Amino acid sequence: MNNKQLLRQPVINIKNLNHFFGQGELRKQVLFNINLKIDRGEIVLMTGPSGSGKTTLLTLISGLRSPQSGSCKILGKELCGASSAELVKARRNNGYIFQAHNLHFSLTARQNVQMGLEVQGKYSRKEMRDRATAMLKEVGLGDRVDYYPDKLSGGQKQRVAIARALVSHPAIILADEPTAALDSKSGRDVVNIMQKLAREQGSTILLVTHDDRILDIADRIIHMEDGNLVNNSMTQKAA
């Protein structure tokens, strides 16, 4: 498949996806017949109550879990039945942002961001340092590159996490409740940064949220309940 064909097809293309936890009598279905397409450059927000399957779906799309039944094509690659090595390769196309920023407290902001490049295995130490510094400037932390996380506010830590996720210019950005632990202003700031940088890089965003204050950034909002995708609609802005 050539690059032009890849550009035309959905970045995320899920068909009849089912997923189960446990074995034998304890086996429980948690996702039911999920069908979802997300195009290149789209910003899609996923809402729904706790326990509805949002995070599970996100981990399957990301390659952190192996899909069990149906089809889960990410950037044209089928992840259902993929080997561990294929899942590792697929994960390199993604940037991750989670509610808990998951920074290493023994590393500076720049060193934390460099970790987003180290997994790629193709940059020199100087290139990683320069790229990490530039990305921290992009998120407004150019004067905090040598600060350790315990010297940063909650919003600043989440900015470092965003920089780490975006520094490799990933095709897909996956975010799980990135504003949940932030106040209103900090939450708005971090999603605005995500939106701006993703647009500039041509990345696709799939963001799980309970935060009604950020729904306006979406091109489309999807809603899950009890493991089912029950709504998949364009926002008024995009319509």
Side-chain angles (χ1 to χ4, degrees), residues 34-103:
I34 302 296
N35 290 276
L36 176 64
K37 289 183 180 181
I38 300 177
D39 292 326
R40 190 172 302 275
E42 259 196 297
I43 298 178
V44 178
L45 268 57
M46 180 161 49
T47 64
S50 297
S52 60
K54 304 184 303 296
T55 297
T56 298
L57 180 57
L58 207 66
T59 59
L60 295 174
I61 291 170
S62 69
L64 291 172
R65 280 195 178 102
S66 178
Q68 299 164 339
S69 169
S71 175
C72 183
K73 287 186 178 180
I74 309 300
L75 296 170
K77 300 292 185 182
E78 179 61 71
L79 298 190
C80 192
S83 67
S84 295
E86 288 170 332
L87 291 175
V88 169
K89 188 175 181 180
R91 290 198 289 269
R92 290 176 181 160
N93 296 311
N94 305 325
Y96 307 93
I97 305 166
F98 299 108
Q99 176 180 344
H101 41 74
N102 293 334
L103 300 182

Side-chain angles (χ1 to χ4, degrees), residues 100-120:
H101 41 74
N102 293 334
L103 300 182
H104 288 262
F105 278 75
S106 62
L107 303 178
T108 65
R110 177 165 45 209
Q111 290 168 332
N112 268 284
V113 175
Q114 283 179 207
M115 292 181 66
L117 294 169
E118 288 172 357
V119 297
Q120 302 293 323

Side-chain angles (χ1 to χ4, degrees), residues 204-224:
T204 299
I205 294 179
L206 177 58
L207 188 155
V208 169
T209 188
H210 286 105
D211 190 348
D212 292 342
R213 301 168 299 183
I214 66 170
L215 298 182
D216 59 293
I217 73 163
D219 297 315
R220 182 156 48 109
I221 297 171
I222 62 179
H223 186 77
M224 289 194 70

Side-chain angles (χ1 to χ4, degrees), residues 125-157:
R125 183 60 57 183
K126 183 179 184 304
E127 284 176 317
M128 288 192 290
R129 181 182 175 87
D130 290 348
R131 284 172 177 261
T133 299
M135 185 55 67
L136 283 167
K137 289 179 180 177
E138 287 278 354
V139 300
L141 293 177
D143 60 343
R144 299 285 193 275
V145 295
D146 293 320
Y147 280 51
Y148 288 90
D150 62 355
K151 300 298 183 182
L152 300 174
S153 68
Q156 289 171 335
K157 290 173 189 173

